[in-house]
Amino acid sequence: MQKKGYMLIGNWKMYMSTYEARAWLESHTKNLATTLKGSGHSLVLCPSFDALFLVQQFLKDSSIEYGAQDCSEHIQGAYTGQVSAQSLQDLGCSYGIIGHSEVRQFHAETSDIVAQKMVRLLEHAITPIICIGESHQDYLNGKAQEHIKKQLKPIERALTSYKKSANLIIAYEPIWSIGTGIVPEVNYLESIFEFINSLTASWPKTTTFKLLYGGSVNEKSSIQLKNIAALDGFLVGKASTDPKKLSDMLKLL
Ligand code: PGA
C-alpha cells in the first residue's frame, strides 16, 4: 500500500516571543526541511503575527509553508489591533487559522464572523484552516454533532454566496482535548468525520477540503490516529514548538 502523506500544521499560539521564534527558525528550519524532503508529508508553521516577517525570510526558498493564526473579518480601516487578509497575503502566508476555540472564547468570535474571515482569506488566495469542535459539556451531553452543525452552517451559507472555487481545511478540535493530553477514541473521531462529511455533501461542488484533527497531538497520539481513513493530517499546538517532536512525526507517520 502506498504511504499516505499527512499535513502537519503547527499552531505556535503565543508560546514564543519574536526573538525566541527567530532563534527557533535559525536553529531548526534546515534540519526540518531535510526531514520533510521525501517524507511525503507537508509542514506548515503558524507563528504569531509579529513573527510572520521572520518566517517569510527564513522559509523563502523552503518546502516548509507558513500561515497566520487569525485574520480580521474586515477588509481595511479603523480596526485597532487587527490584521487584514491583504497584509497576510503581502507577508506570503499560504494559510490562515480561523475559528480557533481560544479566539472564539477570548475574543467572542462567532461562527458568522468565522465565515466572514474565511471569505477574506479566500479573496486573498489564502487557504482557511477552519477550526470547529465541541466543549466538554456538549461532549458529555451527546451534543457534539449539533454543535458542529451550528458552527458549519454559516460556512456553508458563505460558500454558497461566494460562488468561486474554494479550497479549505477543516480542523476538528474538541475543546476538551486541547492542551489536556486527552485524545478522543478512534471510533469517536471516525463518527465525527463521517458526520462532517455528511454535512458538507450539500456544499457547493466548487469547494474542496482536507480534514484534520487537532488536540494534544504529538509523536505518539498522531500514530494512534493515523489510520483513520478520512483523516488528512493534524493541527498541532504545543508539540509543534518542539522541533524533535515535529521531526519525529515527519519520520514516524
Ligand atoms: P494542543 O493544541 O496540541 O497544544 O492541544 C492544539 C490546538 O489548539 O490547535
Side-chain angles (χ1 to χ4, degrees):
M1 203 170 74
Q2 215 201 339
K3 196 170 166 274
K4 186 164 162 183
Y6 294 91
M7 177 164 221
L8 287 182
I9 302 181
N11 174 10
W12 282 3
K13 307 194 178 187
M14 204 177 73
Y15 285 120
M16 281 183 262
S17 72
T18 315
Y19 285 174
E20 285 166 343
R22 186 173 64 190
W24 195 105
L25 293 161
E26 253 161 21
S27 308
H28 307 299
T29 38
K30 274 221 178 75
N31 284 345
L32 273 173
T34 309
T35 311
L36 179 63
K37 204 171 163 205
S39 71
H41 306 307
S42 53
L43 178 61
V44 180
L45 298 179
C46 299
S48 47
F49 287 131
D50 57 287
L52 287 173
F53 248 125
L54 287 172
V55 284
Q56 189 177 33
Q57 309 301 314
F58 276 95
L59 303 180
K60 205 167 35 195
D61 303 312
S62 171
S63 50
I64 304 172
E65 298 172 282
Y66 61 93
Q69 294 177 15
D70 196 8
C71 87
S72 174
E73 70 270 31
H74 304 290
I75 295 172
Q76 192 203 28
Y79 301 103
T80 304
Q82 300 201 25
V83 178
S84 68
Q86 177 64 64
S87 294
L88 301 185
Q89 187 180 36
D90 292 351
L91 289 161
C93 291
S94 309
Y95 298 89
I97 298 174
I98 49 173
H100 191 282
S101 60
E102 286 149 16
V103 183
R104 290 182 192 257
Q105 185 186 349
F106 302 127
H107 298 276
E109 186 191 50
T110 63
S111 295
D112 285 317
I113 296 177
V114 178
Q116 289 169 33
K117 290 180 175 183
M118 172 189 76
V119 174
R120 293 288 91 77
L121 291 173
L122 290 171
E123 287 166 348
H124 291 88
I126 299 171
T127 304
I129 302 164
I130 304 163
C131 300
I132 53 169
E134 78 281 5
S135 66
H136 196 223
Q137 203 56 41
D138 281 343
Y139 169 69
L140 293 177
N141 293 336
K143 295 210 161 127
Q145 297 196 353
E146 199 181 304
H147 183 80
I148 290 169
K149 194 172 173 182
K150 274 198 206 131
Q151 287 185 317
L152 287 179
K153 201 71 211 163
I155 299 289
E156 177 175 2
R157 275 197 298 268
L159 286 169
T160 307
S161 41
Y162 182 64
K163 292 201 169 67
K164 285 173 250 169
S165 67
N167 299 322
L168 313 174
I169 293 173
I170 299 176
Y172 170 62
E173 299 203 301
I175 297 171
W176 47 275
S177 73
I178 296 176
T180 58
I182 303 167
V183 172
E185 298 285 334
V186 166
N187 287 352
Y188 181 74
L189 277 182
E190 281 172 342
S191 68
I192 293 287
F193 286 170
E194 203 181 308
F195 180 68
I196 295 171
N197 279 324
S198 74
L199 291 178
T200 58
S202 58
W203 285 14
K205 295 290 163 268
T206 44
T207 304
T208 60
F209 66 91
K210 283 190 162 59
L211 209 43
L212 266 53
Y213 166 76
S216 297
V217 173
N218 56 32
E219 73 287 9
K220 294 192 188 89
S221 55
S222 55
I223 303 299
Q224 282 168 31
L225 304 177
K226 68 178 251 184
N227 289 328
I228 296 175
L231 179 81
D232 296 307
F234 300 94
L235 182 52
V236 192
K238 182 76 177 148
S240 72
T241 61
D242 181 336
K244 166 87 168 71
K245 286 185 196 248
L246 267 188
S247 138
D248 281 352
M249 279 186 256
L250 289 172
K251 286 180 198 153
L252 299 170
L253 276 170

